[in-house]
């Protein structure tokens, strides 16, 4: 592992030691638990640390996205769940004062700084990626700023040259009635208790538009808890410009053969369980596929299965997406060859042409041909962000790639009630495609809260089977084409959950180490 060098960062204005960190570890480098990420890191880090930091921050941002749709962002539930994620992933979220916490605070702030810049590299590549990244980083920043107490908030603003002047007690008394009447939810005692800032009104247009502030002589008088809107606007502007600059520099970064595969995978990264064939081989029979498709398939796979049955053919993108999904739920190589051959010969492909043209790619996906790579099923992020379908294709994510009206008709045909369809379409409109699929799961399984964050089509299938089987594993059926030796049985858990009940998220196996370099990372990020 390369020796870690010191970080050199230049800030405008003076340096301030707000919190003393461990020993002499450059305590003035990260004086706050909150950052504007104005200067990039310049130290050397290992490839393993690069990957770990990036994946952990992506997990944090995915949690921010999911909680933002599930809960009101100012609610106690939102704060409690997000705070738990901060602790679990070791990111800073509040000013620490006790000696024990200070021992690890530097490492948390360093991780926060470096991981942000790594994801900038990965998420500057397209407009959709930039938009998603900015939104999640803004929500993350909003939460962290809100929990700052008065003095650390003042220090942060001052350190970042955000010179918002707080009004004197004398001026506050003079404008008391105006401030009470113009500031939402403020009484006389609350006005006394809180600071107010004078800001040029053009910097507070959102608050002015919402009639949340008092205006006088071109200045907006903003209560302390509303100043976050101004700071967020500044943060968004800076981050948007920074991503544009990063995008222009990306070709130079991508020329580094160590980083290019990592960055490409990060932008499509799935950060949950690995649904690979090793755990599930031989779990299902071919006769189970049709009933599974209507009960336990996510919408993308249900659409592909229906198109295959109707047209007796799928193009390459559809065969890869659906074929790897089937592999992940338990189809063996022999079953896969039989399944695709029997369907294709019903169309315009005879058995001889199938063996010459299509059988090779199926064996290849199982690691039996070519480079012998044992491919894993596609994650939601990979399906949403790569290889969009063109005319005649059936792969992709219906929530991302389908016309909203066609999606509505499809949901109606599956007997989803009107209110549920509206909820799904609202999530699609907000570009929360995985959350829309999660809502589809809840509607088709009659649960109020599915109890997991959906990241993978095979995760959808596993969770569906757990509900339908009362918490047990998939029930395996032995057919004439399968022998008992081919079937891996799994005992039911000691305590089964009743059908229709919310189930806990399955345990994720420990993350594999990336010390072996790029080869490991390819499998890790797929």
């Amino acid at each position: 592992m390369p020796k870690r060098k010191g970080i050199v960062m230049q800030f405008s204005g003076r340096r301030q030691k707000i919190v003393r960190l461990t020993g002499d570890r450059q305590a003035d480098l990260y004086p706050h638990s909150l950052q504007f990420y104005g200067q990039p890191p310049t130290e050397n880090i290992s490839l393993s640390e690069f990957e770990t930091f990036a994946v952990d921050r992506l997990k944090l941002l995915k949690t921010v996205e999911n909680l933002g749709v599930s809960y009101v962002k100012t609610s106690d539930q939102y704060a409690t769940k997000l705070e738990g994620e901060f602790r679990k992933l070791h990111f800073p979220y509040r000013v620490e004062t006790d000696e024990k916490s200070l021992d690890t605070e530097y490492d948390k702030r360093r991780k926060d700084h470096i991981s942000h810049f790594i994801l900038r590299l990965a998420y500057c590549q397209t407009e959709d990626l930039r938009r998603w990244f900015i939104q999640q980083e803004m929500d993350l920043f909003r939460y962290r700023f809100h929990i700052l107490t008065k003095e650390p908030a003042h220090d942060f603003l001052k350190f970042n040259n955000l010179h918002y002047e707080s009004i004197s007690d004398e001026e506050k008394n003079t404008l008391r009635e105006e401030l009470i009447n113009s500031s939402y939810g403020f009484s006389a005692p609350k006005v006394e208790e809180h600071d107010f800032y004078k800001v040029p009104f053009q910097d507070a247009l959102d608050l002015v538009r919402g009639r949340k502030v008092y205006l006088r002589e071109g200045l907006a008088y903003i209560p302390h808890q509303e100043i976050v809107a101004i700071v967020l606007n500044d943060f968004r502007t800076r981050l948007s410009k920074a991503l544009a600059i990063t995008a222009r520099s990306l070709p130079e970064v991508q020329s580094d053969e160590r980083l290019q595969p990592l960055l490409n995978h990060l932008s499509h990264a799935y950060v949950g369980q690995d649904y690979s064939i090793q755990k599930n081989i031989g779990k299902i029979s071919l006769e189970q596929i049709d009933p599974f498709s209507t009960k336990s398939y996510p919408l993308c796979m249900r659409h592909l299965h229906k198109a295959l049955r109707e047209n007796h053919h799928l193009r390459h993108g559809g065969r890869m997406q659906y074929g790897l999904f089937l592999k992940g739920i338990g189809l063996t190589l022999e079953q896969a060859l039989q399944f695709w051959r029997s369907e294709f010969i019903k169309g315009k492909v005879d058995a001889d042409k199938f063996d010459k043209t299509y059988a090779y790619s199926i064996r290849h996906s199982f690691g039996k041909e070519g480079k012998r790579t044992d491919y894993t099923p596609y994650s939601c992020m990979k399906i949403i962000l790569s290889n969009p379908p063109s005319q005649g294709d059936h792969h992709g994510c219906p929530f991302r790639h389908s016309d909203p009206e066609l999606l509505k008709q499809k949901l109606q045909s599956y007997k989803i009630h009107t209110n549920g369809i509206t909820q799904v379409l609202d999530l699609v409109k907000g570009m929360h495609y995985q959350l829309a699929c999660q809502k589809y799961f809840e509607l088709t399984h009659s649960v109020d809260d599915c109890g997991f964050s959906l990241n993978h089509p095979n995760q959808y299938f596993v969770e569906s089977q757990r509900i339908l089987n009362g918490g047990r594993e998939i029930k395996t059926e032995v057919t004439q084409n399968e022998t008992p030796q081919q079937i891996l049985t799994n005992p039911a858990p000691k305590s089964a959950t009743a059908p229709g009940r919310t189930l806990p998220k399955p345990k994720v196996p420990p993350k594999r180490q990336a010390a072996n370099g790029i080869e490991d990372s390819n499998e890790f990020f797929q």
Side-chain angles (χ1 to χ4, degrees), residues 19-36:
V19 175
R20 181 66 185 174
L21 298 175
T22 307
D24 294 320
R25 300 177 70 190
Q26 300 178 346
D28 58 346
L29 181 59
Y30 302 123
H32 299 280
S33 60
L34 185 61
Q35 302 183 47
F36 255 174

Side-chain angles (χ1 to χ4, degrees), residues 385-494:
L385 295 174
S386 64
N387 189 25
S390 57
Q391 187 174 3
D393 287 329
H394 297 283
H395 67 272
C397 170
F399 302 104
R400 170 65 178 90
H401 298 118
S402 292
D403 177 81
E405 187 58 37
L406 293 177
L407 177 61
K408 180 180 179 180
Q409 293 175 14
K410 187 182 294 292
L411 294 174
Q412 288 173 335
S413 70
Y414 294 154
K415 310 300 182 185
I416 306 296
H417 58 76
T418 303
N419 184 47
I421 292 175
T422 301
Q423 291 176 331
V424 170
L425 294 178
D426 284 345
L427 289 169
V428 170
K429 187 177 180 180
M431 296 184 294
H432 302 295
Y433 308 117
Q434 288 167 246
L435 293 174
C437 191
Q438 194 166 304
K439 175 57 67 175
Y440 172 77
F441 180 99
E442 292 169 353
L443 293 169
T444 52
H445 292 79
S446 301
V447 293
D448 293 330
D449 183 355
C450 63
F452 60 88
S453 296
L454 183 63
N455 290 295
H456 204 290
N458 291 79
Q459 178 192 14
Y460 184 109
F461 178 83
V462 168
E463 295 292 350
S464 171
Q465 283 294 295
R466 289 197 179 192
I467 288 178
L468 297 178
N469 293 331
R472 296 183 297 276
E473 297 290 339
I474 303 169
K475 183 179 179 181
T476 307
E477 295 181 4
V478 181
T479 67
Q480 293 179 350
N481 298 316
E482 298 170 320
T483 64
Q485 288 75 19
Q486 291 176 300
I487 299 170
L488 302 180
T489 58
N490 290 287
K494 291 182 179 179

